Amino acid sequence: MKIRTLSLLSTAVAALAPLSAQAQTAPAPAPAPAAQTDSRDIIVTGARAAQTARAEEKAAVNLVNVQAAEDIVKYPDFNAAEALGRIPGVSLAIDTGEGRFVNIRGIDGNLNGTTFGGVTLLNTQPGGTYFGGGGRAVELDTVPIGSIDRLVVRKTGMPDQEAEGLGGSVELTPRTAVGLTKPFFEGTIGGGYQNAHKNGDVFIGEAAAGTAFGPNKQFAIVLTGSFHTDKRGFDDAEPGLLDAVQPGTPGDRILDSLDLRRYSYNRRRFGFGGEFDWNPDGQNHFYIRANDAGYTESVHRSVLQYRGLGDTTTTNGSVNTATGVDAHVTLRDEQETHLNFITAAGGRNDLGKVILDYQLSYTASTYHRDYDRNSTFTRPGQPGFTVAYDNTSLLYPTLSPSGFNPSDPSQFTLTGANNATERAHDREYAAVLNVTVPTTLLGGDGAFKVGGKLRFRDKIDQPNNLSYAGVPATSLSAVLGDGPFTNYYAGTYNVGYAPSISGVRAVLAPLTQFTSAANAVRNASGFFNDTENIYAAYAQYSGKFGKLNVLAGLRVENTDGTYRGTTRTTSALGVDSFSPASRKSSYTNFFPTVQLRYDLAKNFVARATYSTGIGRPGFLQLLSGATVDVGNRAVSVGNPSLKPTTVNAFDGQVEYYLPDSGVLSFGAFDKEFNNYIINGVTRDPNYPGITDGITTITTYTNVASSHARGIEAQYSQKFSFLPAPFDGFGALGNVTYVWSKFAIRPGETSRLPGTSPLTYNLSLFYEAHKAQVRLSLSHVDGAIFGVGGASGFDTFEDQRTQLDLTSSYQVTQHMALYFNARNLNNSPLRYYEGLPNRTTQREFYDQSYEAGFRFKF
């Protein structure tokens, strides 16, 4: 099938090329600026500077933002997601205190595209994406900034680029050897301290080296490597509200449960890459590159759980008193690995009247959950107790238990344990061919470009949930770990002792693990083995007519998918049976675009564009069954009837370019969606097979029509016109405001899930006389996280504003010292239900610090 399709596409391209070649042609022009061409042609190296990035933005026909490596290191960002969060219109989704996913113009990251050197990046963990179940958002925390030459965010796509991207798409450009004329060696070595759990076990190491060699230096090679470790810790309070009480009415903050969670993470992130280039002459270029990046993370989470808070409650003013309350202690001991591997080979040949460029690639994203042991310690035979609490705070309730001492481990006994493993991979083979024919046929200096791409993708997820047989009744006193933690949340709570990881492991090690009936359902429902092939062809024209640049074209994509899973059937006697299920889906979409760029003056540019795109349903969203994550108490119920989301997008923008890579711009956009996919979220304290907590249940549906409209503004300027030493001062800022709307429920509208109305970045900096200092403020407004059955039960992620500091001093020509501080204002991650005073989750990460030196030879 693949060979037949390749033959058909080759025939189509061959048929289209002569039509362009018949036109009168001019001598082949020099290669266009990188941002005007396909992302595979973004090959600027050596000049990793801001002025090069700004020149790409200015020259592009489509609307792009470019962040060069020189600017990336001016912020205290660990990974690609965090660096992207500084770009106009990009909002950051954090997880465990670190950026992981990005939304572009408020659109869910599952519905945007991401490439690395022109190769599509894939998702590692199907069930781990922001808003759950999408399974397409790329975990950008797997990509260290040391392996990136520049970041490109495309707000409007072109026919020779992937159509994926309702909000836009991201191109991560790797370090490349193109343009090297002499050897170089550079890197970073540093360490750090994280204030939340007083941990100094942080190491940062990055290095890159390259050289050109051979006759006329026609061969070049560059190698990169990075390694970063940290042991982050943070505390999390998760109140479970009594949903029987309508939000906004008296008693709407009565608790049903309360989880006090203490997290310890140990992440080891790495990235290795390299590229070999051969430039035999000025008309031919060939390359091969590979990149391997990811991390292994261990998670230790101890939880003190209060249960039955809402069973019997009396209220006196703002104080609620619950009787008959019980408490549990749980321990999660988990390790997982996320990996992204990419290899590509290709080239470019200037044949005079025709320019060819091509690429063959393979990418694989894998997720391994080696173990996920969850153990529960209960109070068998212990009487219930009384808890008085005041839940008027926006952040967390105060708590006064009576008749219960959390620091007494003898009352807790191990009564149950389970384990979960998971193996998932996402692989894609791809081939790209582009043919460019310079022409003056339409009276301008332009080019016809035709080509196509084949993508063959398979994605498999195999969960395995197990229970331990014969768990011995072991006292918490016998497996005591750290504690007692009496100052949890700055002294607000006493959470007692955490079970010992090694002690619990020793208890569970000799026990037999088995698949219970409930686990069999979970494993069968969560399994899938999907194939999704995309066949694309396009034709476009780009030309310059005096001050006007025009790009117009059409891309056609056929999606041919087979989605395989398991169907569960329950007999009248309550016996479950499972049988393989398979569903085919094939559809073709057309993506026209017209993009105009006009030079109003030397440094004054105006743009107007119409573009289209697609967001395909997530793999877990298409399941016919339900996936159950016991450790995180999360359930995802699929909808195999989902349709892809498409968009008609309109953009207008004016830009004025200032000296020293400065810019002042203002733009507006309108995105009209068809079949936007939303997730509905409910919370169930009694989900079958999941005990000791409230389970979050997510389902999916299409909304016929919706929109996101907004404005963007950007300003960046270095005040070099001031007298020394004040000439080093400068300021930059960007702001995006989005109005979005969809039918959230019959007769009721709301903004799109995940869409933050207001996002902005502000920075004040000084860069002169060997010193660099930058104070940066970033803000993301609140967003709907999940749609409930009524407005009072919608889940929201609260707004977040973070203040960071970066600084460096150039000690010698080859070495600079640096110091960075993150989250100086200790901004929390917070979720609430219905109304802002109904907190359901809040995590504090405190400050983190990093210092070291950078070298360059």
Side-chain angles (χ1 to χ4, degrees), residues 240-253:
L241 297 168
L242 193 65
D243 281 347
V245 181
Q246 177 67 27
T249 61
D252 68 346
R253 279 170 286 172

Side-chain angles (χ1 to χ4, degrees), residues 127 131-133 238-241 243 257 259 261 626-637 679-688 690-700 785-788 793-796 831 833 840-841:
F131 294 109
E238 296 197 10
L241 297 168
D243 281 347
S257 64
D259 280 11
R261 303 182 173 198
T627 61
V628 181
D629 184 341
V630 177
N632 286 315
R633 300 200 303 275
V635 176
S636 173
V637 181
N679 61 324
V681 175
T682 57
R683 293 162 65 85
D684 186 350
N686 300 303
Y687 189 85
I690 300 183
T691 59
D692 303 326
I694 293 178
T695 301
T696 301
I697 305 170
T698 305
T699 56
Y700 312 94
F785 187 78
V787 178
F793 301 109
D794 293 337
T795 305
F796 294 83
Y831 292 86
E833 184 181 76
T840 57
Q841 180 180 349

Side-chain angles (χ1 to χ4, degrees), residues 367-536:
Y367 171 73
H368 291 170
R369 180 162 51 170
D370 300 312
Y371 53 84
D372 187 358
R373 308 182 188 99
N374 290 268
S375 307
T376 302
F377 294 79
T378 64
R379 303 170 65 249
Q382 299 285 333
F385 53 89
T386 300
V387 174
Y389 63 90
D390 183 347
N391 195 23
T392 58
S393 168
L394 289 179
L395 295 178
Y396 49 85
T398 62
L399 203 68
S400 300
S402 176
F404 167 65
N405 179 12
S407 295
D408 177 12
S410 64
Q411 64 188 307
F412 294 103
T413 300
L414 179 64
T415 54
N418 55 64
N419 188 20
T421 63
E422 187 174 357
R423 293 291 184 270
H425 78 241
D426 198 347
R427 300 181 300 196
E428 181 174 293
Y429 298 87
V432 184
L433 174 64
N434 300 297
V435 181
T436 304
V437 182
T439 180
T440 57
L441 175 64
L442 300 180
D445 182 9
F448 287 105
K449 190 174 182 181
V450 296
K453 185 170 185 177
L454 305 177
R455 297 174 55 191
F456 303 108
R457 181 175 185 178
D458 65 89
K459 190 175 182 73
I460 297 176
D461 191 18
Q462 178 65 69
N464 187 25
N465 292 278
L466 302 165
S467 297
Y468 284 97
V471 177
T474 306
S475 172
L476 178 58
S477 301
V479 287
L480 212 56
D482 296 332
F485 299 109
T486 59
N487 62 342
Y488 186 93
Y489 266 57
T492 305
Y493 303 112
N494 175 6
V495 298
Y497 288 89
S500 164
I501 296 293
S502 59
V504 173
R505 286 178 179 177
V507 172
L508 299 180
L511 303 182
T512 300
Q513 299 181 57
F514 68 98
T515 303
S516 65
N519 286 333
V521 173
R522 298 185 190 111
N523 296 338
S525 299
F527 168 80
F528 67 83
N529 180 359
D530 295 344
T531 300
E532 188 176 81
N533 300 329
I534 299 173
Y535 313 110

